[in-house]
Amino acid sequence: MDRKTFLSFLGTGAAALAAASAGLGTLDGKASAMSSTADHLFGFKTNKVSGYFEPIQPSKEDALLVPKNFKYDVVAAFDDVINTAGEKFGQGADYNAYFPINGSNTRGLLVTNHEYTNIFLLGPVADDKMTAEQIKQNLYYQGMSVIEVFRDEKGTWKMDTSSKYARRINGTTKFDLTGPAKGSAALGNATTAVGTFANCSGGVTFWNTVLSCEENFTETAVSAKLPETHYGWVVEIDPFDPSYRKKHTALGRFNHENTAMGIAADGRVVVYMGDDKKDACVYKFISKGKFDKLKGRSNSALLEEGTLYVANLKSGKWLPVTIEEVKKVLSNEKYKNPYGISGTKEDLLKKFKSQGDVVTFCHEAALLVGGTPTDRPEDIEISPFDNTVFICHTNNDIHGNIHGHITRIFESGNDLGSLEFDFEIFAAGGRQSGFSSPDNLAFDSNGNLWVVTDISSSSHNKGVYKPFMNNGLFVIPTSGEAKGTALQFASGPIESELTGPFFTPDEQTLFLSVQHPGEMTTDLSKPTSTWPHRSGDKKARCGVVAITGFKLG
């Protein structure tokens, strides 16, 4: 692909985005005065990237491949020491968020989620039962890491282990509970919770904190004999303040993927969320109060009181997930159990007595009030150009949706606070678009869509997944001759997925996680992957890399 052709896709800006072919819809919605609400995606404020890359081809190599003239540095990998206290970087590296120190694009705090622990890497598991030490390690290596990173004079990104901010947040860290489930019977009357784990993706708030999402929490909670209802929430931390830790129950308890925060036309905060499992729903929370930039971190209270809604795709309406609505449904003489929810009508009336019960058992409550089950709704992002909302529906083999798709929601009146919407399938995974199983996505400042994929490791290079080879990172131009075609920017190592893309504010560095390389290994003496290929180390290690080579215009 020649420079002139590729540059015709880049730098076009929102005004030039046109209808795309091969499964892509049109990005031509009205530009919104609230477009800055999506700056948190990558920190973009202006069109800064005008360089180009030569797309790579799918690969089966045990390597992280990036385009010509780009390079990557491994900033931190599993078990690396991150601070003077000797704490170690966790497993299952996922979401990343960069916070400049004193406005710097070359020194800041990097927050990384740790989704799960591969206990096999910590020693043999007998009869599928973890030892007491393995249970302890399982809690330790999940959660979050806060590390300080910097780019040295040679252009190499490194970790500063002397940082006063660097720390681990994991399965033993104490959190304050907020919202309707705080002190409720469903949580055993608890006002605090110990630990966070299964931290998948997340988001950055308008007041410069991180929201981290607890996803597949059940196995870890059960193995450690912890109360399951204390997990599956959205967690908030302040990278610069170790004492600030909350779990916001008003946002519901389910298998959270991420959060996408926006502002309604009247100033209220809106948070979009997906429940990452088959036949699960899409949600949004609208705060009762309005955002006030001058209040800084105190705006966090907005996440404690408001209304949680679930999407009904057939009617195009956001339906309130409230105790009032649940009781209304259950009190109807013509009540029919939707989607096979466990329990009789009488059982459900006993289960749902308060809003605390509703948010704790959110999936069932959402189905009761009319939420639409969908195909694994993972990452959700708000377009920084027109306030439309993009959702990665990764796949659902139960219904034959093998390659997944990206849904685009149009809120009525271009208002994120609206309770009515329309939608389209913006991009369908498959041969025609060049990618399969979209997971995380984001926009760059030139209107291109960046997508990472999540083909299951057990399916790599098999059956209908053969053409895609290893998981990758793709850029989808939304205009030009190659519109609708996924241009591959990176290919991950064997049995890995790439997650958590996040740019520095000047867009000169892209942080990206490499998750579970060599995941299918059954014999550590014969690993399927040895990435990041450290000298003398045959163990595959997940980690975070910093990719550089982007050009300023």
Side-chain angles (χ1 to χ4, degrees), residues 269-524:
V269 166
V270 182
V271 182
Y272 292 87
M273 299 166 288
D275 186 356
D276 181 11
K277 57 180 179 280
K278 297 175 183 178
D279 296 336
C281 300
V282 176
Y283 301 84
K284 78 173 177 181
F285 170 85
I286 303 178
S287 67
K288 181 178 180 180
K290 298 179 180 181
F291 174 68
D292 182 351
K293 186 176 181 179
L294 296 178
K295 290 183 177 180
R297 199 175 70 182
S298 296
N299 282 289
S300 175
L302 295 172
L303 303 181
E304 301 178 16
E305 189 174 6
T307 303
L308 184 65
Y309 295 89
V310 65
N312 183 296
L313 297 179
K314 186 175 181 179
S315 66
K317 293 182 178 180
W318 292 100
L319 306 176
V321 187
T322 62
I323 186 61
E324 293 79 13
E325 291 300 315
V326 168
K327 285 184 175 180
K328 184 187 297 183
V329 170
L330 292 174
S331 63
N332 191 325
E333 293 182 359
K334 297 182 180 180
Y335 165 77
K336 292 184 179 180
N337 191 333
Y339 309 113
I341 296 175
S342 178
T344 65
K345 178 178 179 178
E346 290 69 27
D347 292 333
L348 293 171
L349 283 168
K350 292 178 182 179
K351 186 173 190 176
F352 294 107
K353 295 182 178 180
S354 69
Q355 186 62 22
D357 297 327
V358 168
V359 295
T360 302
F361 305 106
C362 193
H363 174 68
E364 295 95 327
L367 293 178
L368 282 172
V369 302
T372 302
T374 65
D375 296 340
R376 287 186 61 198
E378 294 209 45
D379 198 75
I380 301 178
E381 300 294 351
I382 304 167
S383 166
F385 303 107
D386 62 6
N387 261 7
T388 54
V389 180
F390 290 74
I391 306 167
C392 275
H393 282 102
T394 298
N395 52 41
N396 189 345
D397 56 359
I398 294 175
H399 304 303
N401 188 358
I402 305 303
H403 296 299
H405 61 273
I406 299 171
T407 304
R408 183 187 182 199
I409 285 180
F410 301 80
E411 295 284 25
S412 179
N414 198 38
D415 178 8
L416 298 182
S418 174
L419 299 184
E420 295 187 357
F421 64 90
D422 197 356
F423 77 96
E424 68 181 15
I425 304 303
F426 179 74
R431 291 171 60 93
Q432 81 287 351
S433 54
F435 68 91
S436 175
S437 306
D439 188 340
N440 299 146
L441 56 84
F443 294 92
D444 68 21
S445 59
N446 291 316
N448 300 292
L449 193 63
W450 293 65
V451 183
V452 293
T453 61
D454 182 15
I455 301 170
S456 172
S457 294
S458 60
S459 298
H460 283 191
N461 300 299
K462 297 177 182 178
V464 297
Y465 296 105
K466 282 183 179 180
F468 309 101
M469 300 188 186
N470 295 350
N471 278 312
L473 169 63
F474 299 82
V475 179
I476 304 178
T478 51
S479 64
E481 293 180 12
K483 62 188 176 184
T485 302
L487 306 173
Q488 189 160 358
F489 181 86
S491 176
I494 290 174
E495 295 162 7
S496 74
E497 61 173 303
L498 304 178
T499 59
F502 201 99
F503 273 83
T504 51
D506 64 357
E507 302 182 25
Q508 296 305 288
T509 299
L510 170 64
F511 293 103
L512 189 68
S513 290
V514 178
Q515 192 181 79
H516 58 67
E519 183 181 32
M520 305 301 290
T521 295
T522 57
D523 183 348
L524 288 179

